[in-house]
């Protein structure tokens, strides 16, 4: 089966890589909602994440990997290091920015830059604890024709974190760990899983009652 998949990837590299990447990225939102124990799945949210993943992230990653390989061919230590530096200083902040602003745009938010302003820097810092290690393996060991698929597998985990950060986190790893492994006290906190917009609305309502 694996040989069949790899053969298909070799024959149709763009379609296969982008499709797998988009599905895995959208799956991250599904896992986030499932892990949050929501009473009802918000499929529109998953759809918005999928649209961004298919229209931008998957395509950008596919051509970005090829650009890096043409610019810095091979998997020597020097070439891998150059790819890593350029990837984390250019592609990483761009991809994170497109996620926050793109999903906000699809949701019809008045200020599509709000989440980006509040959470981009923390998210980027958190990404530096994850992506350099994953991309090192990618550039050093993974053949070019499946690098986007490998990145998509890593993005499955990353998308779960991004969706949590956008809904109710602050872009930090500590907030995500607290969400995944809540203490008993947090477990009875009624605001623990409310998105930022709901928390702000609750705060405004409380202020009017005073």
């Amino acid at each position: 089966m694996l040989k069949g998949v790899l053969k298909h990837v070799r024959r149709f590299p763009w379609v296969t890589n982008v499709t797998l990447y988009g599905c895995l990225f959208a799956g991250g939102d599904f896992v986030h909602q499932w892990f949050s124990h929501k009473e009802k799945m918000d499929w529109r949210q998953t759809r918005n994440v999928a649209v961004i993943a298919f229209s931008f992230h998957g395509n950008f990653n596919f051509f970005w990997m090829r650009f890096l390989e043409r610019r810095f061919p091979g998997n020597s230590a020097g070439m891998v290091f150059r790819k890593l530096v350029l990837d984390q200083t250019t592609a990483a902040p761009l991809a994170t920015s497109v996620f926050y602003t793109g999903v906000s745009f699809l949701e019809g938010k008045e200020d599509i830059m709000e989440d980006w302003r509040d959470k981009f820097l923390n998210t980027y810092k958190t990404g530096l604890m994850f992506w350099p290690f994953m991309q090192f393996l990618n550039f050093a060991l993974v053949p070019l024709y499946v690098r986007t698929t490998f990145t998509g597998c890593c993005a499955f985990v990353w998308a779960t974190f991004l969706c949590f950060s956008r809904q109710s986190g602050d872009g930090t790893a500590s907030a995500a760990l607290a969400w995944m492994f809540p203490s008993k006290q947090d477990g009875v906190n009624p605001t623990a899983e409310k998105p930022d917009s709901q928390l702000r609305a609750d705060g405004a309502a409380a202020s009017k009652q005073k």
Side-chain angles (χ1 to χ4, degrees):
M1 181 178 178
L2 180 59
K3 289 183 178 180
V5 172
L6 293 178
K7 182 180 179 180
H8 191 76
V9 173
R10 281 182 179 273
R11 187 176 179 183
F12 308 103
W14 173 70
V15 172
T16 308
N17 276 280
V18 172
T19 300
L20 288 173
Y21 188 102
C23 290
L24 288 164
F25 204 95
D29 177 76
F30 177 85
V31 170
H32 160 250
Q33 294 195 52
W34 174 79
F35 206 89
S36 298
H37 303 294
K38 289 189 174 182
E39 294 182 0
K40 185 178 180 181
M41 290 291 295
D42 185 352
W43 293 112
R44 282 194 293 183
Q45 177 180 311
T46 304
R47 178 206 63 191
N48 292 339
V49 173
V51 168
I52 298 300
F54 279 101
S55 63
F56 176 78
H57 286 90
N59 284 285
F60 172 76
N61 191 273
F62 180 82
F63 293 106
W64 176 248
M65 289 294 147
R66 275 149 181 74
F67 164 76
L68 289 178
E69 192 60 32
R70 287 195 302 268
R71 185 67 181 83
F72 307 109
N75 58 355
S76 65
M79 291 300 181
V80 170
F81 177 76
R82 289 178 175 86
K83 291 173 188 175
L84 278 175
V85 171
L86 191 58
D87 184 68
Q88 293 305 301
T89 57
T90 304
L94 176 62
T96 302
S97 298
V98 170
F99 174 81
Y100 279 128
T101 57
V103 175
S104 293
F105 173 77
L106 292 176
E107 288 185 351
K109 294 186 66 173
E110 292 185 4
D111 183 3
I112 65 172
M113 300 297 293
E114 181 181 3
D115 288 327
W116 183 88
R117 285 194 303 268
D118 293 343
K119 302 171 183 181
F120 168 78
L121 186 57
N122 284 339
T123 304
Y124 179 64
K125 291 178 180 178
T126 303
L128 292 176
M129 296 186 288
F130 175 75
W131 279 113
F133 303 101
M134 298 299 102
Q135 293 293 53
F136 172 79
L137 296 175
N138 200 10
F139 295 137
L141 303 176
V142 179
L144 177 61
Y145 68 93
V146 287
R147 282 183 186 168
T148 296
T149 298
F150 177 84
T151 307
C153 294
C154 302
F156 173 78
V157 177
W158 183 244
T160 303
F161 167 77
L162 283 178
C163 292
F164 158 75
S165 295
R166 187 178 176 279
Q167 288 294 311
S168 51
D170 58 5
T172 62
S174 58
L177 291 173
W179 166 65
M180 293 177 63
F181 308 104
S183 63
K184 292 182 179 180
Q185 183 177 358
D186 292 336
V188 297
N189 186 352
T191 66
E193 287 301 322
K194 289 185 178 181
D196 291 346
S197 57
Q198 183 62 48
L199 292 174
R200 287 193 292 270
D202 291 347
S207 298
K208 291 181 179 179
Q209 292 176 359
K210 290 182 180 181

